[in-house]
């Protein structure tokens, strides 16, 4: 009997469907990172990202439309930040039931427009479609750019690299941080400009307990975490910081030399050392969010 999606879980599903994906000579980095990286010219590489928000999964029906639109675009911008890049152009696809009021779409676009202006992103087009059942889905396809050969991948970490996170973790939904977070584009770009280039980086969308093992595995490493050092949102526990997800903070690995440089910089207060990558495989953390798991 064929396994169901819920029986396999997200990681196993991706491992199966991403095998032998075709790619032409312009593709530098394909599936498995926060963004795809594509060759552009001698100065820049292009970043490609698509992301989706679904009603009753990423927001509730009573969420203000402006906040829904903002979140939909901000999620993709956060992934551009995780590659050390700059967002550029977006295509927006909205699917909703025809019974929904037109004010819903107007509000969503006010939220999209507001964040796009903040990050100098052009909303270049997209698609709208009706749903045959009640619901709302927004997909964002976003391009960006990063200096040629300088995209920060999940796979660049090495044993002994120190692990850092930005901001605080946990309680994203109760606090409504998941709607109003600020993508860490400036922090990532400022670190790189200061010569503190992460060896590996990703954004924390599925929770530290899910995303850190992904980064470590991509780098061929294990990890050790000092859970007492995790920066928890006030009123939430270490367990919440590990498993809740939707933090949209940066998780990054720094070489010992880069970490030492960080301590002498103005960025030190924005990042917390939580552990390190190791040469032995594995590491223990309670899992965060996994799509398709019931």
């Amino acid at each position: 009997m064929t396994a169901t999606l819920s029986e396999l879980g997200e990681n196993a599903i991706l491992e199966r469907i991403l095998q032998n994906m075709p790619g032409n000579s312009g593709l530098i980095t394909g599936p498995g990172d926060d963004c795809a990286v594509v060759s552009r010219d001698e100065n820049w590489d292009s970043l490609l990202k698509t992301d989706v928000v679904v009603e009753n999964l990423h927001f509730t029906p009573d969420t203000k439309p402006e906040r829904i639109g903002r979140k939909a675009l901000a999620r993709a911008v956060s992934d551009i930040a995780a590659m050390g890049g700059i967002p550029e152009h977006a295509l927006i696809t909205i699917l909703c039931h025809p019974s929904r009021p037109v004010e819903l779409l107007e509000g969503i676009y006010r939220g999209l427009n507001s964040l796009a202006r903040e990050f100098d992103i052009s909303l270049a087009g997209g698609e709208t479609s009706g749903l045959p059942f009640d619901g709302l889905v927004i997909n964002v396809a976003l391009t960006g750019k990063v200096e040629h050969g300088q995209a920060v991948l999940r796979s660049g970490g090495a044993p002994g690299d120190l692990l850092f996170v930005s901001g605080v973790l946990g309680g994203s939904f109760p606090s409504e941080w998941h709607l109003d977070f600020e993508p860490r584009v400036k922090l990532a770009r400022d670190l790189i400009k200061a010569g503190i280039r992460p060896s590996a980086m990703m954004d924390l969308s599925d929770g530290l307990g899910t995303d850190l093992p992904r980064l470590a595995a991509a780098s061929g490493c294990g990890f050790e975490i000092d859970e007492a050092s995790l920066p928890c949102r006030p009123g939430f526990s270490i367990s919440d910081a590990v498993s809740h997800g939707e933090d949209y903070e940066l998780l990054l690995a720094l070489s010992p030399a880069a970490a030492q440089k960080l301590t002498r910089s103005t960025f030190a207060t924005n990042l917390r050392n939580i552990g390190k990558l190791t040469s032995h495989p594995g590491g223990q953390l309670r899992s965060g969010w996994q799509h398709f798991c019931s």
Side-chain angles (χ1 to χ4, degrees):
M1 182 179 294
T2 303
T4 65
L5 297 178
S6 63
E7 288 171 337
L8 283 180
E10 182 181 9
N11 289 341
I13 292 166
L14 292 176
E15 185 176 345
R16 288 178 62 160
I17 66 176
L18 296 182
Q19 295 181 40
N20 303 314
M21 295 282 282
N24 60 34
S25 61
L27 181 65
I28 298 172
T29 301
D33 224 296
D34 287 66
C35 299
V37 186
V38 176
S39 178
R40 180 186 295 197
D41 58 37
E42 67 274 12
N43 296 316
W44 297 96
D45 293 327
S46 292
L47 301 174
L48 308 179
K49 177 63 187 179
T50 184
D51 212 326
V52 65
V53 292
V54 180
E55 189 174 71
N56 289 315
L57 182 62
H58 299 103
F59 58 90
T60 59
D62 61 351
T63 303
K64 290 184 178 179
E66 290 82 359
R67 300 175 88 187
I68 298 171
R70 184 191 186 280
K71 175 176 181 174
L73 181 55
R75 280 168 55 95
V77 175
S78 183
D79 284 305
I80 297 286
M83 306 294 288
I86 301 167
E88 293 185 294
H89 311 288
L91 299 174
I92 311 298
T93 300
I94 299 180
L95 301 88
C96 65
H97 193 268
S99 65
R100 295 295 180 95
V102 68
E103 288 83 0
L104 173 66
L105 294 189
E106 291 174 336
I108 288 169
Y109 266 91
R110 283 195 295 271
L112 289 165
N113 292 344
S114 175
L115 193 85
R117 292 189 182 100
E118 181 180 344
F119 287 92
D120 193 27
I121 297 168
S122 67
L123 298 187
E127 169 76 328
T128 57
S129 175
L131 284 175
F133 49 83
D134 194 29
L136 172 63
V137 178
I138 306 172
N139 183 79
V140 174
L142 182 63
T143 68
K145 65 179 181 180
V146 65
E147 288 82 0
H148 179 61
Q150 295 302 304
V152 183
L153 308 180
R154 299 179 184 182
S155 57
D161 283 357
L162 301 180
L163 294 166
F164 291 81
V165 293
S166 62
V168 294
L169 309 179
S172 180
F173 269 84
S175 68
E176 298 190 340
W177 172 256
H178 75 104
L179 295 170
D180 302 321
F181 68 92
E182 187 71 12
R184 301 301 189 187
V185 174
K186 185 177 187 303
L187 174 59
R189 295 294 297 174
D190 285 349
L191 284 169
I192 293 169
K193 289 176 184 176
I196 311 172
R197 185 179 184 276
S199 53
M201 187 159 59
M202 67 184 298
D203 86 323
L204 292 172
S205 56
D206 291 335
L208 186 71
T210 293
D211 289 331
L212 173 54
R214 288 171 174 165
L215 183 145
S219 293
C221 297
F223 61 88
E224 293 177 357
I225 292 296
D226 175 13
E227 291 194 7
S229 70
L230 294 182
C232 302
R233 191 176 307 283
F236 294 91
S237 67
I238 290 173
S239 177
D240 298 333
V242 170
S243 64
H244 274 187
E246 298 256 335
D247 297 304
Y248 303 107
E249 297 292 352
L250 293 177
L251 167 66
L252 54 136
L254 293 177
S255 69
Q260 183 62 33
K261 192 170 184 178
L262 176 68
T263 64
R264 301 191 298 269
S265 76
T266 59
F267 311 113
T269 57
N270 299 321
L271 294 164
R272 177 79 64 88
N273 178 214
I274 62 168
K276 64 181 180 180
L277 294 177
T278 64
S279 57
H280 53 83
Q284 295 299 315
L285 274 180
R286 178 182 175 183
S287 180
W289 174 259
Q290 292 277 353
H291 286 280
F292 306 115
C293 291
S294 54

